[in-house]
Amino acid sequence: TLLDDRRDAVRALKSLSKKYRLEVGIQAMEHLIHVLQTDRSDSEIIGYALDTLYNVISNDLEEEEQEENLPKQVDDLGSQFTEIFIKQQENVTLLLTLVEEFDFHVRWPGVKLLTSLLKQQGPQVQQIILVSPMGVSRLMDLLADSREVIRNDGVLLLQQLTKSNAAIQKIVAFENAFERLLDIITEEGNSDGGIVVEDCLLLLQNLLKNNNSNQNFFKEGSYIQRMKPWFEVGDDNCGWSAQKVTNLHLMLQLVRVLVSPTNPPGATSSCQKAMFHCGLLQQLCTILMATGVPADILTETINTVSEVIRGCQMNQDYFASVNAPSNPPRPAIVVLLMSMVNERQPFVLRCAVLYCFQCFLYKNQKGQGEIVSTLLPSTIDATGNSVSAGQLLCGGLFSTDSLSNWCAAVALAHALQENATLKEQLLRVQLATSIGNPPVSLLQQCTNILSQGSKVQTRVGLLMLLCTWLSNCSIAVTHFLHNPANIPFLTGQIAENLGEEEQLVQGLCALLLGISIYYNDNSLENYRKEKLKQLIEKRIGRENFIEKLGFISKHELYSRAAQKPQPSFSSPDHMMFDHEFTKLVKELEGVISKAIYKSSEEDKKEEEVKKTLEQHDNIVTHYKKVIREQDQELEELKQRINTLTSQNEQLQATVTQQVSQIQQHKDQYNLLKVQLGKDTQHHNSHGDTFQMNGIQVEDVSKLKEELEEWKNKHDVLEGQLKEKDSVIEKLRSSPLETGTTEQSSQTSKSGGLEHSELQKELEMLRSQIQLQSAEISKLQMENQKLQVMTTTADPVSGDSSAMAANNSELQGRLEQEIKELKSEVKALSEEKESLKQHLDSSSSTVAILQDEKSRLQKEVAESKKEQDDLLVLLADQDQKLSALKIKLKDLGVPVEDEDDIESGDQGGEDEDGDEEEQD
């Protein structure tokens, strides 16, 4: 029951648990789990219990204790105890909560125990952690632990946790694992780091391999850019420790995981582009061309570069432009091909170079064209200073090393893959065999070597090249059949009953013969389809032919090569099939079998069908061309219509504009016509209209209207003046209140001055208005006289000259007086404005003074209120003090009155003893 006793007991069990694992496990496991549940508060006993359980469950025994016959039994023990422990799911949940504890003696053994459980029974423990709330998130916190031991063991725990479980891998990734792991790798020194970097890289591989969601998250999070510094190995390549090699190997594998050919094409393509844009591909090419790099790192780098450029035109173009740092500089492709056809180079390196070349040509017609062009007569360098890729491939194809033959043949086959144009161009290639002899075509040379009976590997390579070359290219088939020795050689090879090694060659010969039949355009009379079929029937037999053809796909090495694009062979002897060739075999095996069994009539029908189809295709293409042309014409016509409609709209707009202008001109013309008519009428009859020296009745009416306007304005101004008078009267009647502050009295004085000024101005304005009214009345009188004159005047009287003089004088006076009146009214309006401004300023000063007065009144009221509150508080204090003094006196404590204390203070504090008593 005592905690100390229990702690001692668990400590004793821990010391026994390594040696007597079985006994402690059987008898003590339940008790230890009970301790974990009940004694959570004591970290020491929990630590001992976790260590004991770890020793019982883990298989990591001391080296000296391991014996030869022990491992199997040990494995069983660990998994059995793990099964017992995880049977109760709450045990694992309890362990997860203990791992959350910060105490080192609890957290570290907890992490180790959980890792051991995952090693023994991974899927079951993963499932329990997955369903427990925040299970994975709790374990992710281990990566943030400041203690390196726990952090590093946390990485190992997450490695076990994420094995083959996509759901947990996703959770871990979205819990910011990439960021944390990349930070740890950077902290530890990238590739120069220790085993911790290796563990982090293994965990990253677990998270990314075959997990498209995480790969996409890794790319979207711009983590590819953070991989670039890993490969900055520097020039001093002397220091390549074993750990650095391991780290760099894993880093390269991680890059390959992201661009693996097995990933979805879209995801791979986006990763490839990201690697180019961030400079990762350029960095890998630098390692590729560097000196002093270990062979296995160089091989893995070549494989990595291969997959980064595979099927990505931009990356392939960049790789084609990379040069090796030699003098003169050579293209990287040429340098790599030199390694491939060099039999002294390691086998894995040569395989890697072949894979690199294949990836460079994959879906890259431009690259294929460049390689084939180096073989064509027009482009070969006559000086022989530089070696081209084509020359190296030809050299490898006809060298004495069978592996070089095979690699060169496969590489050349990839240069022709799905490219009919290049298959035809390669027929032009001529080879100089020996001095004095005429040059031989490349196709002829390949068949010559085949017939010479070289090694199986060489013959398989050449047959794969020929099958790729002839498939889907009738011209190449015709060239092949043109050599009379080829068909007898093939039929002879197929018909013979040879050993198992030769069966593969027989199968490929059958495939080549089948291609020669299937893609035959019957241009050679002696080798028409029907004749070749008859030859097979006589020499080999159809069933036998089909059986031999089936040897290819039944071969073990064929099924291995069909699995993935990278050529990976355990030994050079197993290097027989290429991945792309296996696709071709699948495609052709069925159609060749059908073609062999078809009768001549069926062939004829097929030919006819083909011809009709060709004709049909020709008609279709013709119509397509016609439709395309018509589409172009339609587009042109549409464009013309658009331009014409826009021009039409513009013209219509100008027409409407011109019409409106014409209408205006017409109106003006009519008006002038009318006026001209009136004038002529007036001259003829001496007028119903009356004119006096240019002043007509219309002008007199205008003057009347102007006079009316001035009268109205005069009335308005008088009204406004009256309003101002009333305002001023009000201001006088309500004088400002006194007794606020000195400032208010001063402002009131200034206000009074302003009012007196305003009064003076008003008087002036009144006098001016009176003058104006007198002038207006004068004008009215003259106007009446004018009207009388106009009514009484006789247009036909003889005093016209005298009247004209009077009128002109009157007109001049009227105009002058009107001008004077206008100027005076303008002056009046300006004075009115200034008056209004004065009034506004005086009213604003009054408002300010009133605000100031009210504010001061508020302040006085507030100060009075505060004084009252303080007086009440003082009264309360006095009451409390007197009450306390009475209590103190009742208790017998001597208390002096305030008056005594004050008198004592004034006396100068003579005696120290009295002060002490008061204290």
Side-chain angles (χ1 to χ4, degrees):
T1 55
L2 291 172
L3 180 61
D4 289 346
D5 293 348
R6 283 203 301 281
R7 193 188 297 120
D8 292 341
V10 175
R11 191 190 289 118
L13 284 169
K14 180 192 167 185
S15 58
L16 289 168
S17 60
K18 282 189 180 177
K19 197 170 184 181
Y20 302 102
R21 188 177 165 196
L22 182 63
E23 292 79 357
V24 173
I26 291 167
Q27 296 178 48
M29 190 177 277
E30 281 183 35
H31 300 292
L32 290 167
I33 292 165
H34 182 68
V35 164
L36 292 178
Q37 289 166 343
T38 54
D39 293 329
R40 286 281 300 279
S41 57
D42 187 65
S43 60
E44 201 175 344
I45 193 170
I46 294 289
Y48 292 144
L50 289 169
D51 280 331
T52 310
L53 285 167
Y54 172 72
N55 290 340
V56 167
I57 286 167
S58 171
N59 290 328
D60 304 335
L61 296 173
E62 298 291 329
E63 284 181 15
E64 62 265 17
E65 289 179 11
Q66 286 187 343
E67 294 173 15
E68 288 177 8
N69 59 347
L70 204 63
K72 196 176 181 186
Q73 183 192 346
V74 162
D75 289 349
D76 291 346
L77 261 183
S79 60
Q80 282 169 11
F81 282 133
T82 303
E83 214 169 313
I84 294 163
F85 185 83
I86 65 171
K87 199 172 275 182
Q88 301 294 325
Q89 287 195 8
E90 54 268 22
N91 291 346
V92 179
T93 315
L94 174 67
L95 196 52
L96 285 171
T97 55
L98 290 171
V99 166
E100 273 191 296
E101 293 284 338
F102 187 73
D103 193 313
F104 182 81
H105 297 292
V106 176
R107 198 172 209 184
W108 190 41
V111 170
K112 289 200 293 181
L113 175 58
L114 198 51
T115 309
S116 190
L117 291 172
L118 282 160
K119 277 183 186 172
Q120 303 294 343
Q121 297 282 346
Q124 292 91 320
V125 181
Q126 281 175 340
Q127 207 53 41
I128 296 165
I129 292 170
L130 199 56
V131 295
S132 70
M134 298 292 286
V136 179
S137 302
R138 292 185 210 175
L139 299 178
M140 279 302 299
D141 291 341
L142 297 170
L143 293 183
D145 200 305
S146 56
R147 295 159 296 192
E148 284 195 10
V149 179
I150 291 176
R151 184 198 71 186
N152 298 347
D153 278 356
V155 173
L156 295 173
L157 167 59
L158 288 167
Q159 267 184 38
Q160 296 298 328
L161 181 67
T162 53
K163 266 187 185 172
S164 312
N165 192 312
I168 290 176
Q169 286 166 4
K170 284 179 188 174
I171 296 167
V172 170
F174 282 98
E175 286 281 349
N176 211 17
F178 294 139
E179 186 78 40
R180 291 184 188 179
L181 291 170
L182 291 170
D183 285 344
I184 293 169
I185 291 169
T186 309
E187 284 166 24
E188 295 290 324
N190 294 331
S191 59
D192 293 317
I195 198 163
V196 180
V197 171
E198 184 184 337
D199 292 335
C200 289
L201 290 166
L202 287 166
L203 176 53
L204 282 168
Q205 270 194 25
N206 279 2
L207 294 173
L208 292 169
K209 204 166 190 176
N210 302 323
N211 192 320
N212 299 329
S213 165
N214 280 5
Q215 285 174 9
N216 192 43
F217 181 59
F218 192 84
K219 181 184 73 69
E220 294 296 331
S222 302
Y223 295 118
I224 289 175
Q225 285 83 326
R226 291 187 63 180
M227 294 167 83
K228 189 196 168 193
W230 295 355
F231 305 104
E232 289 169 0
V233 291
D235 297 328
D236 53 333
N237 293 325
C238 49
W240 288 88
S241 63
Q243 187 61 58
K244 182 172 181 173
V245 170
T246 308
N247 289 348
L248 209 55
H249 212 277
L250 288 168
M251 286 166 175
L252 290 164
Q253 282 179 357
L254 199 61
V255 175
R256 289 184 68 185
V257 163
L258 294 168
V259 291
S260 169
T262 55
N263 293 347
T268 301
S269 175
S270 58
C271 286
Q272 286 172 330
K273 284 173 186 169
M275 285 173 185
F276 175 77
H277 289 306
C278 77
L280 182 59
L281 174 60
Q282 292 84 326
Q283 203 63 49
L284 291 171
C285 289
T286 308
I287 296 175
L288 199 68
M289 294 291 116
T291 50
V293 179
D296 51 347
I297 291 294
L298 186 61
T299 306
E300 191 60 27
T301 306
I302 294 168
N303 286 327
T304 308
V305 169
S306 309
E307 289 181 357
V308 173
I309 67 171
R310 187 176 191 267
C312 178
Q313 188 67 54
M314 180 169 60
N315 293 6
Q316 287 167 337
D317 289 346
Y318 170 75
F319 185 68
S321 70
V322 174
N323 283 325
S326 59
N327 193 17
R330 283 178 176 164
I333 295 167
V334 171
V335 175
L336 290 171
L337 286 175
M338 286 168 85
S339 303
M340 187 182 79
V341 296
N342 184 351
E343 56 190 294
R344 289 194 295 277
Q345 292 290 352
F347 172 63
V348 283
L349 182 68
R350 295 172 78 181
C351 287
V353 172
L354 175 63
Y355 183 45
C356 187
F357 193 70
Q358 289 174 350
C359 289
F360 170 65
L361 296 176
Y362 183 70
K363 291 183 178 178
N364 181 9
Q365 292 201 340
K366 183 184 171 188
Q368 288 177 322
E370 284 169 1
I371 297 297
V372 170
S373 69
T374 58
L375 285 163
L376 298 176
S378 58
T379 55
I380 290 171
D381 186 7
T383 56
N385 289 338
S386 61
V387 183
S388 69
Q391 286 168 308
L392 284 168
L393 289 175
C394 281
L397 200 59
F398 308 123
S399 76
T400 52
D401 174 34
S402 62
L403 195 61
S404 294
N405 301 155
W406 190 90
C407 289
V410 168
L412 206 51
H414 273 263
L416 304 173
Q417 205 83 41
E418 296 175 5
N419 200 325
T421 314
L422 294 181
K423 287 176 184 178
E424 290 175 21
Q425 282 194 354
L426 203 64
L427 296 168
R428 290 166 49 206
V429 176
Q430 300 287 316
L431 303 170
T433 48
S434 56
I435 299 162
N437 291 341
V440 182
S441 72
L442 178 61
L443 187 70
Q444 180 67 48
Q445 186 63 15
C446 289
T447 51
N448 289 349
I449 294 167
L450 266 179
S451 58
Q452 285 166 12
S454 50
K455 288 183 181 177
V456 173
Q457 195 173 38
T458 303
R459 282 182 289 159
V460 167
L462 287 168
L463 284 164
M464 284 198 296
L465 170 60
L466 289 170
C467 288
T468 307
W469 194 348
L470 268 59
S471 67
N472 211 10
C473 184
S474 302
I475 298 167
V477 170
T478 308
H479 274 255
F480 178 75
L481 295 173
H482 206 271
N483 184 349
N486 287 343
I487 293 299
F489 166 72
L490 290 177
T491 50
Q493 284 285 315
I494 299 162
E496 281 183 40
N497 286 320
L498 301 166
E500 280 186 23
E501 281 188 2
E502 292 293 325
Q503 281 184 349
L504 196 55
V505 176
Q506 285 185 317
L508 289 165
C509 286
L511 181 68
L512 186 57
L513 186 55
I515 288 168
S516 302
I517 293 168
Y518 185 70
Y519 290 107
N520 192 339
D521 60 355
N522 294 330
S523 57
L524 294 172
E525 188 58 40
N526 294 338
Y527 295 106
R528 292 172 69 82
K529 279 186 181 181
E530 192 53 42
K531 287 190 177 179
L532 289 172
K533 283 184 195 174
Q534 286 170 3
L535 190 69
I536 288 171
E537 184 66 50
K538 284 178 189 174
R539 295 271 179 92
I540 306 161
R542 285 179 186 174
E543 286 77 14
N544 194 18
F545 178 84
I546 300 298
E547 187 189 342
K548 296 285 169 78
L549 186 64
F551 283 166
I552 304 171
S553 54
K554 286 173 187 167
H555 204 282
E556 183 192 352
L557 296 174
Y558 172 89
S559 54
R560 273 192 211 168
Q563 286 169 4
K564 58 178 182 175
Q566 187 186 352
S568 54
F569 307 102
S570 53
S571 72
D573 300 334
H574 292 157
M575 207 172 195
M576 288 291 173
F577 284 110
D578 169 52
H579 178 74
E580 289 297 323
F581 181 73
T582 60
K583 290 182 185 176
L584 184 72
V585 173
K586 277 180 194 170
E587 189 187 317
L588 293 176
E589 196 174 9
V591 293
I592 288 169
S593 302
K594 282 180 186 175
I596 296 298
Y597 280 106
K598 273 179 188 170
S599 63
S600 56
E601 290 173 4
E602 285 175 337
D603 272 343
K604 280 175 186 174
K605 281 180 184 176
E606 198 174 298
E607 284 295 321
E608 284 170 11
V609 168
K610 273 186 181 177
K611 279 177 184 175
T612 52
L613 280 170
E614 279 175 14
Q615 286 172 358
H616 177 72
D617 286 345
N618 289 337
I619 293 162
V620 167
T621 49
H622 171 68
Y623 278 119
K624 276 182 181 174
K625 192 179 177 184
V626 170
I627 289 163
R628 205 175 290 115
E629 285 171 1
Q630 286 176 347
D631 280 344
Q632 284 176 353
E633 284 176 16
L634 271 170
E635 282 298 317
E636 286 170 10
L637 287 166
K638 278 179 183 175
Q639 285 175 358
R640 281 183 67 189
I641 287 163
N642 288 334
T643 52
L644 287 167
T645 48
S646 63
Q647 283 175 6
N648 185 28
E649 284 168 5
Q650 285 174 4
L651 288 166
Q652 278 181 344
T654 50
V655 164
T656 50
Q657 201 177 344
Q658 284 172 355
V659 165
S660 65
Q661 282 176 359
I662 288 162
Q663 191 62 44
Q664 283 175 9
H665 289 313
K666 274 183 182 176
D667 293 343
Q668 285 173 6
Y669 171 72
N670 288 332
L671 199 71
L672 287 164
K673 203 174 179 183
V674 169
Q675 284 177 358
L676 195 66
K678 280 179 181 177
D679 289 344
T680 51
Q681 208 173 10
H682 165 70
H683 286 304
N684 292 339
S685 62
H686 300 288
D688 299 320
T689 60
F690 177 66
Q691 186 173 5
M692 300 182 295
N693 199 16
I695 295 175
Q696 294 181 357
V697 178
E698 291 155 5
D699 295 335
V700 172
S701 62
K702 278 181 187 175
L703 283 167
K704 279 182 185 176
E705 284 169 13
E706 280 181 10
L707 275 169
E708 285 296 321
E709 277 178 26
W710 289 120
K711 276 181 188 176
N712 292 336
K713 282 180 182 176
H714 177 73
D715 293 340
V716 169
L717 284 166
E718 275 189 338
Q720 285 178 351
L721 278 169
K722 280 174 186 174
E723 283 175 19
K724 298 276 168 59
D725 284 342
S726 62
V727 169
I728 289 159
E729 285 299 321
K730 279 179 190 174
L731 286 166
R732 277 179 187 165
S733 62
S734 57
L736 294 167
E737 291 180 19
T738 55
T740 52
T741 55
E742 286 179 20
Q743 188 187 354
S744 64
S745 67
Q746 284 169 6
T747 49
S748 66
K749 282 173 189 174
S750 64
L753 287 166
E754 280 177 8
H755 286 310
S756 63
E757 282 173 18
L758 285 169
Q759 254 181 325
K760 283 174 186 174
E761 283 179 5
L762 277 168
E763 289 300 325
M764 280 167 69
L765 283 167
R766 275 182 188 149
S767 63
Q768 281 177 359
I769 285 162
Q770 281 171 3
L771 284 166
Q772 281 179 357
S773 59
E775 281 177 7
I776 286 162
S777 59
K778 198 176 175 184
L779 279 165
Q780 281 174 341
M781 289 284 286
E782 284 176 359
N783 189 26
Q784 282 170 3
K785 280 179 188 177
L786 190 66
Q787 281 175 341
V788 170
M789 281 168 73
T790 52
T791 51
T792 55
D794 186 3
V796 199
S797 67
D799 305 332
S800 58
S801 60
M803 279 184 80
N806 284 335
N807 281 335
S808 61
E809 192 183 338
L810 185 63
Q811 190 185 1
R813 279 175 65 189
L814 269 170
E815 282 175 1
Q816 195 177 353
E817 282 171 0
I818 284 162
K819 279 179 186 175
E820 285 172 7
L821 194 63
K822 278 182 182 176
S823 61
E824 282 172 3
V825 168
K826 193 178 178 184
L828 194 66
S829 61
E830 283 172 3
E831 283 170 3
K832 174 202 153 192
E833 281 297 318
S834 65
L835 189 65
K836 194 177 178 185
Q837 284 174 3
H838 281 304
L839 193 64
D840 289 342
S841 64
S842 62
S843 57
S844 64
T845 50
V846 168
I848 290 161
L849 287 169
Q850 283 176 346
D851 290 344
E852 186 70 29
K853 176 193 164 187
S854 59
R855 189 174 64 76
L856 287 164
Q857 281 175 345
K858 277 182 190 174
E859 283 179 5
V860 167
E862 282 172 9
S863 63
K864 277 182 183 176
K865 194 180 176 185
E866 283 174 8
Q867 281 176 356
D868 292 343
D869 291 344
L870 282 167
L871 284 167
V872 170
L873 281 168
L874 282 167
D876 289 345
Q877 290 280 346
D878 285 340
Q879 283 177 3
K880 283 178 186 174
L881 277 168
S882 58
L884 286 165
K885 280 176 186 175
I886 291 159
K887 279 183 185 177
L888 286 166
K889 281 174 185 176
D890 291 345
L891 290 164
V893 178
V895 178
E896 289 186 12
D897 291 334
E898 283 179 3
D899 299 335
D900 298 340
I901 292 163
E902 283 169 10
S903 63
D905 289 342
Q906 284 166 6
E909 301 172 351
D910 296 328
E911 294 179 14
D912 295 328
D914 292 338
E915 283 174 14
E916 283 169 19
E917 278 179 13
Q918 281 174 11
D919 292 332

Short mmCIF file of all heavy atoms in Angstrom, two decimals, residues 67-89:
data_model
loop_
_atom_site.label_atom_id
_atom_site.label_comp_id
_atom_site.label_asym_id
_atom_site.label_seq_id
_atom_site.Cartn_x
_atom_site.Cartn_y
_atom_site.Cartn_z
N GLU A 67 21.77 -15.42 -28.94
CA GLU A 67 22.36 -16.69 -29.37
C GLU A 67 21.77 -17.07 -30.72
O GLU A 67 20.77 -16.52 -31.15
CB GLU A 67 22.04 -17.78 -28.34
CG GLU A 67 22.71 -17.52 -27.00
CD GLU A 67 22.26 -18.50 -25.92
OE1 GLU A 67 21.66 -19.53 -26.28
OE2 GLU A 67 22.52 -18.21 -24.77
N GLU A 68 22.40 -18.04 -31.34
CA GLU A 68 22.00 -18.39 -32.71
C GLU A 68 20.57 -18.93 -32.78
O GLU A 68 19.84 -18.69 -33.71
CB GLU A 68 22.97 -19.43 -33.29
CG GLU A 68 24.33 -18.82 -33.61
CD GLU A 68 25.31 -19.85 -34.12
OE1 GLU A 68 24.88 -20.98 -34.37
OE2 GLU A 68 26.48 -19.51 -34.27
N ASN A 69 20.18 -19.72 -31.79
CA ASN A 69 18.87 -20.36 -31.83
C ASN A 69 17.77 -19.49 -31.22
O ASN A 69 16.62 -19.89 -31.13
CB ASN A 69 18.90 -21.70 -31.10
CG ASN A 69 19.32 -21.53 -29.63
OD1 ASN A 69 19.80 -20.46 -29.25
ND2 ASN A 69 19.15 -22.58 -28.84
N LEU A 70 18.13 -18.27 -30.80
CA LEU A 70 17.19 -17.45 -30.04
C LEU A 70 16.27 -16.55 -30.88
O LEU A 70 15.11 -16.39 -30.51
CB LEU A 70 17.97 -16.59 -29.03
CG LEU A 70 17.21 -16.10 -27.80
CD1 LEU A 70 16.77 -17.28 -26.95
CD2 LEU A 70 18.09 -15.18 -26.97
N PRO A 71 16.74 -15.96 -31.98
CA PRO A 71 15.95 -14.91 -32.64
C PRO A 71 14.47 -15.22 -32.87
O PRO A 71 13.63 -14.39 -32.59
CB PRO A 71 16.66 -14.70 -33.96
CG PRO A 71 18.07 -15.07 -33.67
CD PRO A 71 18.01 -16.17 -32.65
N LYS A 72 14.15 -16.40 -33.36
CA LYS A 72 12.75 -16.69 -33.69
C LYS A 72 11.88 -16.65 -32.43
O LYS A 72 10.81 -16.06 -32.39
CB LYS A 72 12.64 -18.05 -34.38
CG LYS A 72 11.30 -18.21 -35.07
CD LYS A 72 11.22 -19.48 -35.84
CE LYS A 72 9.86 -19.57 -36.54
NZ LYS A 72 9.65 -20.85 -37.20
N GLN A 73 12.38 -17.27 -31.39
CA GLN A 73 11.65 -17.30 -30.12
C GLN A 73 11.49 -15.87 -29.57
O GLN A 73 10.43 -15.52 -29.06
CB GLN A 73 12.42 -18.17 -29.12
CG GLN A 73 11.72 -18.35 -27.78
CD GLN A 73 12.65 -18.97 -26.74
OE1 GLN A 73 13.70 -19.49 -27.09
NE2 GLN A 73 12.25 -18.91 -25.49
N VAL A 74 12.54 -15.08 -29.69
CA VAL A 74 12.53 -13.69 -29.21
C VAL A 74 11.44 -12.91 -29.93
O VAL A 74 10.64 -12.20 -29.31
CB VAL A 74 13.92 -13.05 -29.44
CG1 VAL A 74 13.83 -11.54 -29.38
CG2 VAL A 74 14.88 -13.54 -28.39
N ASP A 75 11.39 -13.06 -31.25
CA ASP A 75 10.38 -12.36 -32.04
C ASP A 75 8.98 -12.73 -31.57
O ASP A 75 8.12 -11.87 -31.42
CB ASP A 75 10.52 -12.71 -33.53
CG ASP A 75 11.75 -12.07 -34.12
OD1 ASP A 75 12.34 -11.22 -33.43
OD2 ASP A 75 12.14 -12.42 -35.24
N ASP A 76 8.78 -13.99 -31.34
CA ASP A 76 7.46 -14.46 -30.87
C ASP A 76 7.12 -13.83 -29.53
O ASP A 76 5.98 -13.40 -29.34
CB ASP A 76 7.44 -15.99 -30.75
CG ASP A 76 7.50 -16.65 -32.13
OD1 ASP A 76 7.30 -15.92 -33.12
OD2 ASP A 76 7.76 -17.86 -32.21
N LEU A 77 8.09 -13.82 -28.61
CA LEU A 77 7.84 -13.26 -27.28
C LEU A 77 7.37 -11.81 -27.36
O LEU A 77 6.35 -11.44 -26.77
CB LEU A 77 9.12 -13.30 -26.43
CG LEU A 77 9.28 -14.45 -25.43
CD1 LEU A 77 10.55 -14.28 -24.66
CD2 LEU A 77 8.10 -14.52 -24.48
N GLY A 78 8.13 -11.01 -28.10
CA GLY A 78 7.82 -9.58 -28.23
C GLY A 78 6.41 -9.36 -28.77
O GLY A 78 5.63 -8.57 -28.22
N SER A 79 6.07 -10.06 -29.85
CA SER A 79 4.76 -9.85 -30.48
C SER A 79 3.63 -10.37 -29.58
O SER A 79 2.55 -9.78 -29.53
CB SER A 79 4.71 -10.52 -31.85
OG SER A 79 4.93 -11.90 -31.72
N GLN A 80 3.91 -11.47 -28.84
CA GLN A 80 2.88 -12.01 -27.94
C GLN A 80 2.59 -11.03 -26.80
O GLN A 80 1.42 -10.76 -26.49
CB GLN A 80 3.35 -13.36 -27.36
CG GLN A 80 3.19 -14.50 -28.36
CD GLN A 80 3.89 -15.77 -27.90
OE1 GLN A 80 4.32 -15.87 -26.74
NE2 GLN A 80 4.01 -16.74 -28.78
N PHE A 81 3.65 -10.52 -26.18
CA PHE A 81 3.45 -9.56 -25.09
C PHE A 81 2.77 -8.27 -25.60
O PHE A 81 1.94 -7.68 -24.90
CB PHE A 81 4.78 -9.21 -24.40
CG PHE A 81 5.26 -10.28 -23.45
CD1 PHE A 81 6.58 -10.73 -23.48
CD2 PHE A 81 4.40 -10.84 -22.52
CE1 PHE A 81 7.02 -11.72 -22.61
CE2 PHE A 81 4.84 -11.83 -21.64
CZ PHE A 81 6.15 -12.27 -21.69
N THR A 82 3.15 -7.87 -26.82
CA THR A 82 2.51 -6.68 -27.41
C THR A 82 1.02 -6.92 -27.59
O THR A 82 0.19 -6.05 -27.29
CB THR A 82 3.16 -6.36 -28.78
OG1 THR A 82 4.55 -6.18 -28.61
CG2 THR A 82 2.57 -5.10 -29.40
N GLU A 83 0.69 -8.13 -28.07
CA GLU A 83 -0.72 -8.47 -28.27
C GLU A 83 -1.50 -8.40 -26.97
O GLU A 83 -2.62 -7.88 -26.92
CB GLU A 83 -0.81 -9.89 -28.87
CG GLU A 83 -1.96 -10.05 -29.83
CD GLU A 83 -1.88 -11.36 -30.61
OE1 GLU A 83 -0.79 -11.69 -31.13
OE2 GLU A 83 -2.89 -12.03 -30.67
N ILE A 84 -0.88 -8.93 -25.89
CA ILE A 84 -1.53 -8.88 -24.57
C ILE A 84 -1.74 -7.43 -24.14
O ILE A 84 -2.81 -7.06 -23.66
CB ILE A 84 -0.68 -9.64 -23.51
CG1 ILE A 84 -0.62 -11.12 -23.85
CG2 ILE A 84 -1.23 -9.42 -22.11
CD1 ILE A 84 0.49 -11.89 -23.14
N PHE A 85 -0.71 -6.61 -24.35
CA PHE A 85 -0.78 -5.21 -23.90
C PHE A 85 -1.85 -4.43 -24.66
O PHE A 85 -2.60 -3.65 -24.06
CB PHE A 85 0.60 -4.55 -24.10
CG PHE A 85 0.68 -3.14 -23.56
CD1 PHE A 85 0.94 -2.91 -22.21
CD2 PHE A 85 0.47 -2.05 -24.39
CE1 PHE A 85 1.01 -1.62 -21.70
CE2 PHE A 85 0.53 -0.75 -23.89
CZ PHE A 85 0.80 -0.54 -22.54
N ILE A 86 -1.94 -4.63 -25.98
CA ILE A 86 -2.87 -3.81 -26.77
C ILE A 86 -4.28 -4.38 -26.84
O ILE A 86 -5.16 -3.78 -27.46
CB ILE A 86 -2.32 -3.56 -28.21
CG1 ILE A 86 -2.24 -4.86 -29.01
CG2 ILE A 86 -1.02 -2.82 -28.19
CD1 ILE A 86 -1.94 -4.65 -30.48
N LYS A 87 -4.47 -5.55 -26.22
CA LYS A 87 -5.83 -6.14 -26.21
C LYS A 87 -6.81 -5.15 -25.58
O LYS A 87 -7.93 -4.98 -26.04
CB LYS A 87 -5.82 -7.46 -25.44
CG LYS A 87 -7.02 -8.34 -25.76
CD LYS A 87 -6.88 -9.72 -25.15
CE LYS A 87 -6.09 -10.64 -26.05
NZ LYS A 87 -5.96 -12.01 -25.50
N GLN A 88 -6.36 -4.52 -24.50
CA GLN A 88 -7.15 -3.43 -23.89
C GLN A 88 -6.69 -2.11 -24.55
O GLN A 88 -5.59 -1.64 -24.29
CB GLN A 88 -6.89 -3.36 -22.37
CG GLN A 88 -7.22 -4.64 -21.63
CD GLN A 88 -8.72 -4.94 -21.65
OE1 GLN A 88 -9.53 -4.03 -21.61
NE2 GLN A 88 -9.06 -6.23 -21.71
N GLN A 89 -7.54 -1.58 -25.38
CA GLN A 89 -7.16 -0.38 -26.14
C GLN A 89 -6.81 0.81 -25.23
O GLN A 89 -5.98 1.63 -25.57
CB GLN A 89 -8.29 0.05 -27.08
CG GLN A 89 -8.43 -0.86 -28.27
CD GLN A 89 -9.30 -0.26 -29.38
OE1 GLN A 89 -9.68 0.89 -29.32
NE2 GLN A 89 -9.61 -1.07 -30.38
#
